[in-house]
Amino acid sequence: DIVLTQSPASLAVSLGQRATISCRASESVDSYGNSFMHWYQQKPGQPPKLLIYRASNLESGIPARFSGSGSRTDFTLTINPVEADDVATYYCQQSNEDPYTFGGGTKLEIK
Amino acid sequence: DVQLQESGPGLVKPSQSLSLTCTVTGYSITSDYAWNWIRQFPGNKLEWMGYISYSGSTSYNPSLKSRISITRDTSKNQFFLQLNSVTTEDTATYYCARSAGYLYYFDYWGQGTTLTVSS
């Protein structure tokens, strides 16, 4: 199975500043010119919500403050500027190889 | 709008089987996409369990392969999870979710149903 390691496990960012979350895969998640890495936001008591698909594509209805980048084994989710509503846990997920796996999550708090 | 809703018993005894239902509204499960079960353990780890595709084919996480079955009732636009021989380690929140084409990211999720395995 592809193991996804997220860092940091938690971070505190001031309102209006940038938050950067990393996801590293144990092997490449690229195939056919695509990066099969996706990002989700989860708030307490709610299911995960898709933010970014295929590494850098913004899901419909998601604010442009969210962006994704990376390829092969190293990926980043950036939130800039951070707003109070962004307090949540963020997960990466790969779908290049069955079984599809998730990272352990990064908890974002406001400083 | 596509909506998914899980339902289930809430509590199951060890060694029994669990059965969950996902009811989909706003989209036919036979039109396209794959229809998944994902669970989240206490401590928040997420695990993809498997899917049934619009054509009826299935794929399961190898870690569960001997215990899991995903089926569907197309007349009711529902799909089901059965997990056999449950233990306390199967205690989790269970989500159903739609995954998009060959990309297999999860774009619509149900609200989740909590399942506790306890005697």
Side-chain angles (χ1 to χ4, degrees), chain A residues 54-74:
Chain A
R54 271 196 295 130
S56 60
N57 294 272
L58 196 65
E59 174 68 347
S60 175
I62 302 301
R65 304 183 290 104
F66 293 88
S67 63
S69 64
S71 65
R72 295 184 58 79
T73 61
D74 291 289

Side-chain angles (χ1 to χ4, degrees), chain A residues 40 42 47 91 93 95 98 100, chain B residues 40 44 59 103-104 106 110:
Chain A
Y40 301 84
Q42 187 178 30
Y91 296 92
Q93 176 242 328
S95 60
D98 182 335
Y100 313 125
Chain B
Q40 188 165 35
N44 294 327
S59 178
L103 294 172
Y104 293 110
F106 307 106

Side-chain angles (χ1 to χ4, degrees), chain B residues 30-114:
Chain B
T30 61
S31 291
D32 202 346
Y33 299 103
W35 304 89
N36 298 261
W37 288 99
I38 296 162
R39 62 182 177 177
Q40 188 165 35
F41 298 103
N44 294 327
K45 177 185 174 183
L46 287 158
E47 180 182 63
W48 171 76
M49 301 180 73
Y51 69 70
I52 186 165
S53 75
Y54 69 95
S55 65
S57 63
T58 56
S59 178
Y60 301 132
N61 192 318
S63 69
L64 299 167
K65 212 154 201 173
S66 61
R67 298 197 293 138
I68 189 173
S69 177
I70 299 176
T71 58
R72 65 182 183 175
D73 183 337
T74 58
S75 68
K76 295 182 178 178
N77 216 38
Q78 295 175 326
F79 62 105
F80 311 101
L81 170 70
Q82 181 171 320
L83 189 65
N84 299 322
S85 305
V86 300
T87 72
T88 56
E89 295 188 354
D90 294 309
T91 293
T93 298
Y94 286 76
Y95 295 100
C96 55
R98 188 182 85 168
S99 62
Y102 71 97
L103 294 172
Y104 293 110
Y105 56 80
F106 307 106
D107 57 355
Y108 286 92
W109 296 66
Q111 285 300 305
T113 186
T114 299

